[in-house]
């Protein structure tokens, strides 16, 4: 089965639908989504749908956004669960603003991992209205644990799911970007390592659920470059290869 979201609300007055289809793209069903406010004067974004391990449930997140001084402020968002058989809603869990955390990861035990993080502020490097938070949600829609960042960790992304930890990046959007790993059991920080570049870092792969490869678009000496770094299970940088091309590898 295939699942996607149509008419994703980026044009005002449009509604969004979750759709199920067969491999030949013939539709099984489509249901109109009931969001937290369904306001027509703001626009919406959605994550890609994700399936539960037994493929009985479909999960997705959404966020509402508005333009503030040219920057996106995400002030509404939730995780939704729908029955894969007919699209009927099962439950929802309020998360809040998502920015780069608008993705869903599902563990082998059925736990759903999502996060909230405000968009960039103006001027850059200033605190957002709330700190980013990573959530682990049980298959029945109840909270398993949450981890909220603090200090100058203003903006975060979720990147990859390992066998016993979840990886992401966090930054003050001004002077540093760190890679972190949270324990899947309780959300405790296993490690958080400064990757020495101010920029967004994105994961390329995870090997054996412990060692991680991260593609880090880096700005250095006024020129753009990309560095691939390998981190061991304790977050220590083992090696890095710098490429002159800008952007992700």
């Amino acid at each position: 089965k295939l699942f996607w979201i149509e008419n994703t609300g980026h044009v005002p007055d449009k509604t969004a639908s979750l759709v199920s289809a067969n491999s030949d793209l013939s539709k099984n069903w489509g249901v109109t989504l009931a969001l937290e406010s369904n306001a027509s004067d703001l626009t919406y974004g959605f994550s890609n749908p994700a399936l539960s391990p037994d493929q009985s449930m479909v999960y997705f997140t959404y966020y509402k956004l508005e333009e503030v001084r040219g920057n996106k402020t995400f002030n509404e968002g939730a995780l939704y669960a729908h029955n894969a058989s007919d699209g009927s809603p099962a439950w929802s869990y309020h998360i809040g603003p998502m920015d780069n955390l608008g993705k869903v990861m599902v563990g082998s035990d059925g736990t759903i991992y999502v996060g909230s993080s405000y968009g960039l502020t103006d001027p850059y490097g200033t605190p957002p209205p709330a700190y980013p938070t990573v959530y682990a949600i049980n298959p029945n829609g109840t909270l398993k644990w949450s981890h909220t960042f603090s200090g100058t960790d203003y903006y975060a992304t979720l990147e990859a799911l390992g066998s016993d930890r979840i990886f992401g990046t966090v930054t003050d959007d001004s002077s540093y970007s760190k890679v972190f790993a949270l324990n899947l059991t309780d959300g405790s920080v296993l490690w958080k390592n400064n990757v020495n570049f101010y920029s967004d870092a994105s994961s390329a792969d995870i090997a054996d659920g412990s060692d991680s490869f991260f593609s880090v678009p880096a700005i250095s000496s006024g020129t753009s470059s990309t560095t691939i770094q390998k981190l061991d299970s304790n977050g220590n940088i083992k090696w890095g290869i710098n490429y002159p091309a800008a952007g992700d590898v």
Side-chain angles (χ1 to χ4, degrees):
K1 303 293 182 181
L2 303 174
F3 299 90
W4 67 83
I5 295 175
E6 290 185 342
N7 300 326
T8 53
H10 287 290
V11 180
D13 301 320
K14 296 292 185 181
T15 59
S17 299
L18 177 65
V19 176
S20 169
N22 299 305
S23 57
D24 61 359
L25 299 185
S26 59
K27 290 185 179 180
N28 294 313
W29 49 258
V31 294
T32 300
L33 301 178
L35 306 180
E36 290 181 327
S37 70
N38 276 336
S40 61
D41 57 335
L42 298 177
T43 54
Y44 298 88
F46 296 84
S47 71
N48 291 325
L51 286 171
S52 61
D54 63 2
Q55 300 190 1
S56 65
M57 304 295 294
V58 184
Y59 307 114
F60 67 90
T61 58
Y62 94 98
Y63 54 83
K64 183 174 73 173
L65 62 95
E66 59 184 340
E67 295 293 331
V68 179
R69 291 177 297 178
N71 297 298
K72 293 178 179 179
T73 300
F74 303 81
N75 57 6
E76 180 183 309
L79 168 68
Y80 283 83
H82 285 245
N83 290 294
S85 58
D86 58 6
S88 59
W91 50 262
S92 65
Y93 191 93
H94 175 77
I95 298 170
M98 272 174 266
D99 192 14
N100 290 330
L101 285 174
K103 65 176 65 175
V104 180
M105 301 180 188
V106 183
S108 58
D109 64 349
T111 302
I112 308 106
Y113 300 93
V114 291
S116 65
S117 181
Y118 273 81
L120 301 181
T121 56
D122 186 10
Y124 296 142
T126 57
Y131 282 100
T133 300
V134 179
Y135 297 90
I137 308 298
N138 293 308
N140 63 359
T142 59
L143 179 67
K144 182 176 182 180
W145 55 256
S146 65
H147 174 81
T148 300
F149 291 92
S150 60
T152 56
D153 292 341
Y154 296 151
Y155 314 102
T157 65
L158 288 180
E159 301 296 348
L161 188 63
S163 60
D164 62 353
R165 63 198 64 192
I166 189 167
F167 298 90
T169 64
V170 67
T171 179
D172 66 350
D173 193 46
S174 178
S175 62
Y176 70 82
S177 182
K178 298 178 181 180
V179 178
F180 66 82
L182 302 182
N183 190 316
L184 294 187
T185 301
D186 57 9
S188 58
V189 178
L190 295 173
W191 49 260
K192 186 167 59 173
N193 193 346
N194 195 332
V195 293
N196 303 320
F197 296 107
Y198 155 57
S199 184
D200 289 335
S202 58
S203 170
D205 198 5
I206 285 186
D208 300 326
S210 55
D211 287 352
S212 308
F213 292 83
F214 290 88
S215 171
V216 184
I219 306 300
S220 176
S221 302
T223 60
S224 297
S225 62
T226 294
T227 300
I228 295 179
Q229 295 177 334
K230 179 181 180 179
L231 283 73
D232 64 18
S233 59
N234 294 315
N236 301 308
I237 298 175
K238 305 301 292 183
W239 52 256
I241 302 176
N242 187 67
Y243 295 88
D248 291 341
V249 173

